[in-house]
Every structure is written in C-alpha cells, then in structure tokens.
C-alpha cells in the first residue's frame, strides 16, 4: 500500500508539539519494517525538514504547489461570509488549478494528515485525519478573532470530509 502523508502545512521552523508528533510518527514508520511505501507531500519551503526520511527507500518526498497569494485571494470571500461551502469550493478550486489533487491521487492509495486540518477536501481516495488540536473549542480566548473564525470553518469542514 502507498500511504501518503500530507505535510504541506507543516512549519519547519516551529519547535512545538505538532512537529514533535509528526517526527515521532515518521521515525516510527522508519523503524518499522513493512511492505508499505510512504509518500511525504510537502512544499518547496519545508521539504528540507523531511530529509531524514531519505535514508529509507520506502519513503518518497513529493513537492506540491504552494502559492499563498493565490490561496488567500480565493479564501477571502468565504472568510468574509463565514461560509463553509464557499471555503470548501475555494480550496477545491485551488487544488484543481495547482494540480495538487491529481498528484496526490496518483501517488498514494490513502492520505494521512497529521496536522489536524485537511488541505484537500475533494479526493477520490480515503483520508485519515489526526484531530489532536482542539484548543479553540475550550479556550477561544487564546486565539484572535480571525484565527477562531478560520479554525471554526476549517475544523468543521475537516471533520466532515
């Protein structure tokens, strides 16, 4: 089985729990002898963070298109209207324009996302999502208005797809 791991939204400079969690998972897979192959989807900025996996031939690093200006221009209207439907539509459009959806579907049989939010909603393969960061539900005061609003839209969408 080809297992994709969506690391496109990983901030390689972050030194916290999310990255520690991800590195632990990747090291566990590196140390586990099995017949699966792994495709780490990253972006051109964070791909160096995953160089340690290159020592294992079961791991492949695939760089996906990332254009924050395009993405932000597509999600501004959904953000203003607080619309999950428009947000999902904008993200799906972004992934069609960029070719990311087709690339992910062609490279793996299943996609695991360890960073709590789906980056591609419309996929014709199964998706597994780690929902380990739900602080905004219990402590919304820790986040800005903008971050709370984005988290509410994206977390709800991620749990339904």
């Amino acid at each position: 089985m080809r297992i994709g791991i969506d690391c496109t939204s990983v901030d390689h400079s972050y030194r916290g729990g999310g990255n520690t969690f991800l590195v632990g998972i990747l090291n566990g897979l590196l140390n586990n002898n099995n017949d699966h192959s792994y495709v780490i989807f990253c972006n051109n900025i964070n791909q160096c963070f995953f160089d340690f996996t290159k020592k294992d031939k079961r791991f492949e690093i695939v760089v996906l298109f990332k254009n924050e200006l395009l993405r932000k221009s597509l999600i501004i209207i959904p953000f203003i209207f607080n619309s999950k439907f428009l947000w999902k539509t904008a993200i799906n459009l972004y992934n069609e324009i960029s070719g990311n959806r087709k690339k992910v579907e062609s490279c793996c049989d299943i996609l695991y996302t360890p960073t709590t939010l789906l980056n591609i909603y419309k996929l014709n393969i199964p998706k597994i999502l780690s929902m380990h960061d739900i602080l905004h539900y219990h402590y919304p005061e820790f986040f800005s208005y903008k971050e709370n609003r984005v988290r509410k839209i994206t977390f709800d969408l991620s749990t339904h797809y």
Side-chain angles (χ1 to χ4, degrees):
M1 177 177 278
R2 299 172 305 156
I3 301 170
I5 305 168
D6 185 353
C7 300
T8 55
S9 61
V10 169
D11 177 355
H12 68 287
S13 64
Y14 176 69
R15 300 287 177 246
N19 284 3
T20 303
F21 173 76
L22 175 58
V23 169
I25 288 172
L26 293 174
N27 279 321
L29 296 173
L30 282 165
N31 294 324
N32 185 353
N33 293 328
N34 59 47
D35 295 331
H36 301 301
S37 61
Y38 303 96
V39 179
I40 297 174
F41 295 104
C42 59
N43 61 61
N44 61 326
I45 297 166
N46 70 4
Q47 76 182 92
C48 61
F49 185 75
F50 305 100
D51 283 347
F52 71 97
T53 64
K54 290 181 179 178
K55 63 186 175 185
D56 190 320
K57 64 180 176 128
R58 296 173 302 150
F59 282 77
E60 176 186 0
I61 296 175
V62 173
V63 177
L64 294 181
F65 174 84
K66 182 174 182 175
N67 183 320
E68 279 302 305
L69 180 61
L70 173 60
R71 187 181 164 282
K72 286 180 180 180
S73 65
L74 288 170
I75 63 172
I76 189 70
I77 298 298
F79 175 80
I80 290 169
F81 287 104
N82 199 25
S83 170
K84 293 174 195 163
F85 172 78
L86 291 176
W87 189 285
K88 177 184 71 166
T89 302
I91 295 300
N92 287 338
L93 178 61
Y94 174 79
N95 285 297
E96 287 299 321
I97 291 169
S98 66
N100 289 347
R101 182 186 65 81
K102 286 181 181 177
K103 191 179 273 190
V104 168
E105 289 177 345
S106 70
C107 290
C108 62
D109 302 312
I110 189 167
L111 182 66
Y112 169 60
T113 304
T115 53
T116 72
L117 297 175
L118 292 176
N119 295 303
I120 303 175
Y121 299 115
K122 183 182 177 184
L123 282 173
N124 294 317
I125 58 172
K127 299 175 289 289
I128 299 171
L129 177 65
S130 289
M131 293 293 289
H132 57 271
D133 180 7
I134 57 170
L135 267 174
H136 60 284
Y137 282 114
H138 301 289
Y139 300 102
E141 65 273 14
F142 290 177
F143 302 96
S144 68
Y145 170 79
K146 177 184 170 188
E147 194 167 4
N148 270 318
R149 191 167 182 156
V150 169
R151 280 178 167 247
K152 180 68 175 146
I153 293 170
T154 57
F155 271 72
D156 287 354
L157 278 171
S158 292
T159 61
H160 291 99
Y161 289 91

